[in-house]
Amino acid sequence: MATTRIIPMHINKGKTLAQCLSDRMGYGENPEKTNSGEYISSYECDPQTADSEFLLSKKQYLTLTGRTQDNDVIAYQIRQSFKPGEITPEEANRIGYEFAMRFTKGEHAFIICTHVDKKHIHNHVYWNSTKLSCMGKFRNFWGSTKAVRELSDLICMEHRLSVISNPKRQGKSYNKWLGSQAKLSHWEEVRILIDEALAKKPHSMDALLELLSASGYEIRRGKNITLMKAGQKNIRLNSLGEGYTEKELFAVISGAKVHTPRKNRRLTAPKKAKLIKEIEDKLNGRHSQWDSVRILKQMARSVLYVQQHDFDTFDELAKKSAAASARVGELGATIKSAEKRMAEIAALRTHIIGYAKTREVYAGYRKVGYSKKYLAAHEDDIIVHKAAKRAFDEAGLKKLPTVKRLNAEYAELLAQKKAAYAEYAEAKKEMRELLVHKANVEYILGLEEQEKTRIREAERESAR
């Protein structure tokens, strides 16, 4: 399923709030697009009066809170598109409803309008910016595009529907989602034809243009070389971009430059990762084991994780998990080493300060021949001095470092520890995530059972 970002709906200039709500939601509720309203559902509002109900909640919000805001968002919209032939309008509407309920946590009224007027069934999800309690509002947040996409993809995975592999940060339109299956643009088509013509090693620009002409294009030569074809816009060579301008093509034909084809989209289906295909094959053969909703959702998260991170094989996932575990161990060791040295510095610093403060007292103690009377009068200082001297001897210190130097080393270690700990927290989170998904994939593929069988066979073999 393809999803777009959250679209805030503001008040248009020259229109009232009521007119804006009615116009926006009227498009979604269009009877010609929703089979006369058959594919419209709602939560905590009536689709026929949703705009009025949204407006009423905003008046109640003003009355209850006294708060107003210029250019306030009146509602939000999300569009969802499904792969043609993969879903029924009824199921698409149910998925849209489930998405809206989980995303808004049931705190906002919403309507789901499923459009069936295009080849691809798609939803328009509208929800009120004002909460049902009329005491708060939905606030769009940083990273909402990613959150919308991940929740939408997760729900699709749970329902065994297609999702976008490696979507762009800004989201994708339906045509971009189809990618290589979508119709090529005229410019892409010409670039591909030029690539194929250059592969035949034409000896001149005229020979190249003859090859393009044989592909159905009429060539017009003037100030610029232009390619024309019925039903298409005229295309100048210089408009095709880097690598395809007249000057560059002349250079390629003359041998002064090597042509590097642009990665144009082709009308071939993208290769599916081996691991995803293997997982899907296993899932299709194990429906009876997936009756538990909890297990289904858990496994769907792992399948989505594998697809989002483009793991081609289980070995790649296993190696990534092992590397993450090793990294956590390395960072943990670094933190412990820093903490150990910091503790040593703190103790040493205390001894150095104590040693310096009690030096004269201990010198007096030696001067009086270690008198018991002197010891009784200065026992605390003498104990501190002896403890410091003993610590220096145990550390093998012949020359004491300065407190200033120790403070600088301590500060440097503290900064390193903080940086390592921040990385450690992220690495540990990644490790746990990887280990959980690795275990789930092992379960899906039946690798745990295979390993148990192998161990049992090995044990039986060794017992013979």
Side-chain angles (χ1 to χ4, degrees), residues 275-292:
L275 182 55
I276 287 294
K277 186 178 185 306
E278 192 175 353
I279 288 172
E280 289 182 348
D281 290 343
K282 290 287 185 181
L283 292 182
N284 292 334
R286 297 173 65 182
H287 287 301
S288 60
Q289 299 180 28
W290 293 73
D291 294 334
S292 168

Side-chain angles (χ1 to χ4, degrees), residues 272-336:
K272 184 175 289 186
K274 295 177 183 176
L275 182 55
I276 287 294
K277 186 178 185 306
E278 192 175 353
I279 288 172
E280 289 182 348
D281 290 343
K282 290 287 185 181
L283 292 182
N284 292 334
R286 297 173 65 182
H287 287 301
S288 60
Q289 299 180 28
W290 293 73
D291 294 334
S292 168
V293 174
R294 182 185 65 81
I295 292 178
L296 179 62
K297 289 185 176 182
Q298 184 179 350
M299 295 305 166
R301 287 181 184 277
S302 295
V303 176
L304 182 60
Y305 182 86
V306 168
Q307 186 159 325
Q308 287 178 334
H309 291 80
D310 200 25
F311 290 112
D312 189 51
T313 64
F314 178 78
D315 285 344
E316 289 183 10
L317 175 59
K319 287 178 182 177
K320 182 74 172 178
S321 301
S325 298
R327 183 57 180 158
V328 169
E330 290 172 5
L331 290 169
T334 299
I335 292 170
K336 286 182 180 179

Side-chain angles (χ1 to χ4, degrees), residues 344-449:
E344 291 174 353
I345 290 173
L348 182 58
R349 187 169 52 190
T350 299
H351 285 310
I352 290 174
I353 293 172
Y355 185 83
K357 287 182 177 180
T358 60
R359 182 181 296 168
E360 291 184 5
V361 173
Y362 194 79
Y365 179 46
R366 291 175 60 186
K367 191 173 182 179
V368 297
Y370 304 105
S371 164
K372 291 184 178 180
K373 182 178 179 181
Y374 190 94
L375 174 62
H378 303 88
E379 185 173 10
D380 290 346
D381 287 344
I382 292 171
I383 289 174
V384 168
H385 193 86
K386 285 184 175 181
K389 184 67 172 63
R390 186 165 53 251
F392 300 153
D393 292 341
E394 290 175 354
L397 293 174
K398 294 182 179 180
K399 183 178 180 181
L400 297 181
T402 64
V403 173
K404 182 178 179 181
R405 176 184 158 191
L406 290 175
N407 286 340
E409 185 182 357
Y410 189 93
E412 184 178 351
L413 286 167
L414 181 60
Q416 291 176 0
K417 178 190 169 184
K418 286 182 178 179
Y421 195 80
E423 188 178 352
Y424 175 80
E426 287 298 316
K428 194 171 183 180
K429 180 181 176 182
E430 181 187 18
M431 178 194 72
R432 287 176 175 171
E433 192 174 31
L434 278 162
L435 290 176
V436 166
H437 294 309
K438 175 177 171 284
N440 287 341
V441 172
E442 284 178 332
Y443 172 76
I444 294 171
L445 299 180
L447 298 179
E448 285 183 341
E449 290 303 318

Side-chain angles (χ1 to χ4, degrees), residues 3-6 103 141-153 168-171 308-309 433:
T3 62
T4 61
R5 60 183 172 82
I6 294 177
F103 190 73
F141 54 92
W142 181 260
S144 62
T145 296
K146 184 173 182 289
V148 165
R149 183 180 66 240
E150 288 187 350
L151 176 58
S152 184
D153 285 355
K168 300 298 181 184
R169 184 175 179 182
Q170 292 83 1
Q308 287 178 334
H309 291 80
E433 192 174 31

Side-chain angles (χ1 to χ4, degrees), residues 41-169:
S41 59
S42 63
Y43 170 71
E44 292 294 333
C45 64
D46 186 323
Q48 295 184 351
T49 59
D51 53 348
S52 299
E53 292 180 54
F54 283 19
L55 181 60
L56 178 61
S57 70
K58 297 180 187 313
K59 292 180 179 179
Q60 290 176 327
Y61 172 83
L62 176 61
T63 302
L64 292 171
T65 66
R67 293 194 292 266
T68 58
Q69 183 178 346
D70 293 336
N71 300 319
D72 199 5
V73 178
I74 57 178
Y76 290 88
Q77 179 189 175
I78 287 175
R79 290 191 295 265
Q80 298 175 310
S81 298
F82 300 88
K83 188 175 180 180
E86 189 176 63
I87 194 171
T88 64
E90 293 83 0
E91 187 179 6
N93 193 268
R94 285 196 298 271
I95 287 175
Y97 188 98
E98 181 179 351
F99 167 82
M101 182 62 75
R102 286 166 68 169
F103 190 73
T104 66
K105 299 179 174 61
E107 295 180 345
H108 297 260
F110 60 76
I111 64 171
I112 313 297
C113 306
T114 302
H115 287 189
V116 294
D117 58 321
K118 303 287 186 183
K119 185 178 180 181
H120 61 287
I121 295 172
H122 58 281
N123 288 329
H124 288 264
V125 181
Y126 302 91
W127 73 89
N128 192 356
S129 61
T130 305
K131 290 185 176 181
L132 291 169
S133 64
C134 298
M135 293 296 292
K137 294 194 173 185
F138 179 90
R139 300 297 179 190
N140 204 354
F141 54 92
W142 181 260
S144 62
T145 296
K146 184 173 182 289
V148 165
R149 183 180 66 240
E150 288 187 350
L151 176 58
S152 184
D153 285 355
L154 178 61
I155 293 172
C156 277
M157 279 288 187
E158 292 170 1
H159 289 269
R160 305 292 294 124
L161 297 172
S162 301
V163 298
I164 305 169
S165 296
N166 301 319
K168 300 298 181 184
R169 184 175 179 182

Side-chain angles (χ1 to χ4, degrees), residues 163-223:
V163 298
I164 305 169
S165 296
N166 301 319
K168 300 298 181 184
R169 184 175 179 182
Q170 292 83 1
K172 285 188 175 182
S173 67
Y174 176 71
N175 284 335
K176 288 183 180 178
W177 175 40
L178 287 179
S180 59
Q181 299 178 41
K183 184 179 179 181
L184 295 174
S185 70
H186 303 325
W187 285 263
E188 286 177 306
E189 183 181 324
V190 171
R191 281 193 288 264
I192 290 172
L193 290 174
I194 290 175
D195 294 339
E196 293 172 350
L198 288 174
K200 296 177 181 179
K201 305 295 183 181
H203 57 83
S204 65
M205 178 60 80
D206 288 338
L208 173 65
L209 295 178
E210 283 180 14
L211 290 171
L212 295 178
S213 179
S215 298
Y217 281 90
E218 181 184 344
I219 310 300
R220 184 175 67 192
R221 305 190 68 160
K223 184 177 180 182

